Amino acid sequence: MSVTVRVPAKVNVQLAVGAARPDGYHDLANVFLAVGLHDEVTVTAAEELRVTCAGPDAGQVPLDRTNLAARAALVLAERYGRDADVHIHIAKDIPVAGGMAGGSADGAGALLACDALWGTGASRGELLDICAELGSDVPFSLVGGAALGIGRGERLTELEVGGSFHWVFAMAARGLSTPAVFREFDRLAEGRDVPVPVASRELLDALAKGDVDALAATVSNDLQPAALSLYPELADTLAAGRAAGALASLVSGSGPTTAFLAPDAGAAEAIAGALRASGTCRTVRTAAGPVPGATVV
């Protein structure tokens, strides 16, 4: 038997970052929007745990027990007193190391797939607890839609969205390490007070109303200066997207993928074409959101 789960990428329409905590993490106010780029995670009964992967940049995906999909299977198996004897296959379409939570998506997808395959009957709350144990972005990959994440980003409040928003994503020539971006954020913040992160009321209202112009005026990412410091060429991509008609441009999460908010689907395709012609990025994708979280297919 096998179970396949489809799980989306995310864009952070707001990422407010507080000062480093004693445990090394940062408090966040993280407004997530799930968008229509998906990985599919298939789990099949096997004699032992193994992970395979296919798709763009699959060679960059770890296939050992450090992979979040493998870790999800191991944690769920331990909780329910069984062996994690599954073959996990990841069909990648979410950019790897791109700040769009591809690894987190795979963790949430494998968790939901193993739960269904094994018939554990875990509650939604239990699954979310495991997701939070796996990583800060993993709970949102399970939930999808739109949500505000606080703490490390793992404590979620789902948000209402009054429409669909159209995005263009430009993938960079190389990846960025999330821990390295946070370290650079800390370096840049030395000697100044870092405010407590708070979600923007104007941004939440824009989402609720489905107002693309108001959303464009309020998107923000406190990690963007750190990402640009480590990868200055991203500024050229951001400028090319703005010149092509994007209402807003920002680094997605810790980067290096850059995200561009478009007025509508047609404008998104035009912006994507201009970015492809600009020579400032490796590949370009369009997607709309919000979309559902991890779903058994």
Side-chain angles (χ1 to χ4, degrees):
M1 290 183 61
S2 66
V3 175
T4 297
V5 169
R6 193 169 187 247
V7 62
K10 60 82 180 167
V11 61
N12 305 90
V13 292
Q14 181 187 4
L15 181 51
V17 182
R21 306 187 319 203
D23 64 4
Y25 288 103
H26 298 70
D27 283 322
L28 306 175
N30 199 350
V31 182
F32 298 100
L33 188 72
V35 296
L37 299 176
H38 295 87
D39 284 358
E40 288 196 348
V41 181
T42 300
V43 299
T44 307
E47 293 185 358
E48 62 181 4
L49 176 64
R50 68 187 182 101
V51 180
T52 57
C53 184
D57 300 320
Q60 299 179 38
V61 177
L63 302 180
D64 58 14
R65 294 190 176 201
T66 64
N67 187 296
L68 278 175
R71 288 175 55 196
L74 288 163
V75 173
L76 185 66
E78 183 177 4
R79 284 207 179 195
Y80 284 87
R82 58 164 300 135
D83 293 326
D85 46 1
V86 287
H87 169 209
I88 302 170
H89 180 71
I90 302 166
K92 288 296 298 180
D93 195 39
I94 301 172
V96 177
M100 298 186 75
S104 297
D106 297 340
L111 181 65
L112 187 59
C114 287
D115 174 63
L117 181 72
W118 297 335
T120 58
S123 68
R124 186 77 162 173
E126 285 179 275
L127 294 177
L128 285 169
D129 285 345
I130 294 173
C131 286
E133 182 180 335
L134 293 170
S136 300
D137 287 347
V138 183
F140 179 71
S141 296
L142 187 70
V143 171
L148 166 63
I150 60 172
R152 293 182 288 110
E154 83 284 8
R155 303 201 317 265
L156 298 178
T157 300
E158 295 185 56
L159 302 172
E160 290 193 21
V161 181
S164 185
F165 295 96
H166 296 273
W167 294 87
V168 182
F169 298 100
M171 289 48 159
R174 59 180 172 87
L176 267 179
S177 157
T178 296
V181 174
F182 273 99
R183 285 194 297 271
E184 183 67 1
F185 172 88
D186 293 337
R187 188 187 71 80
L188 294 174
E190 283 179 10
R192 65 179 177 87
D193 289 332
V194 178
V196 174
V198 177
S200 161
R201 185 73 259 166
E202 293 79 8
L203 181 138
L204 298 182
D205 288 344
L207 284 174
K209 294 173 182 175
D211 187 332
V212 67
D213 292 308
L215 182 63
T218 51
V219 295
S220 65
N221 179 3
D222 287 354
L223 289 182
Q224 182 163 310
L228 290 172
S229 175
L230 296 174
Y231 200 153
E233 298 89 340
L234 296 179
D236 296 332
T237 314
L238 292 170
R242 287 193 298 271
L247 298 177
S249 62
L250 72 164
V251 173
S252 180
S254 60
T257 297
T258 45
F260 303 88
L261 183 59
D264 52 43
E269 292 299 334
I271 293 164
L275 282 165
R276 290 187 187 99
S278 73
T280 64
C281 53
R282 180 167 56 91
T283 57
V284 182
R285 303 289 299 279
T286 60
V291 298
T295 305
V296 176
V297 298

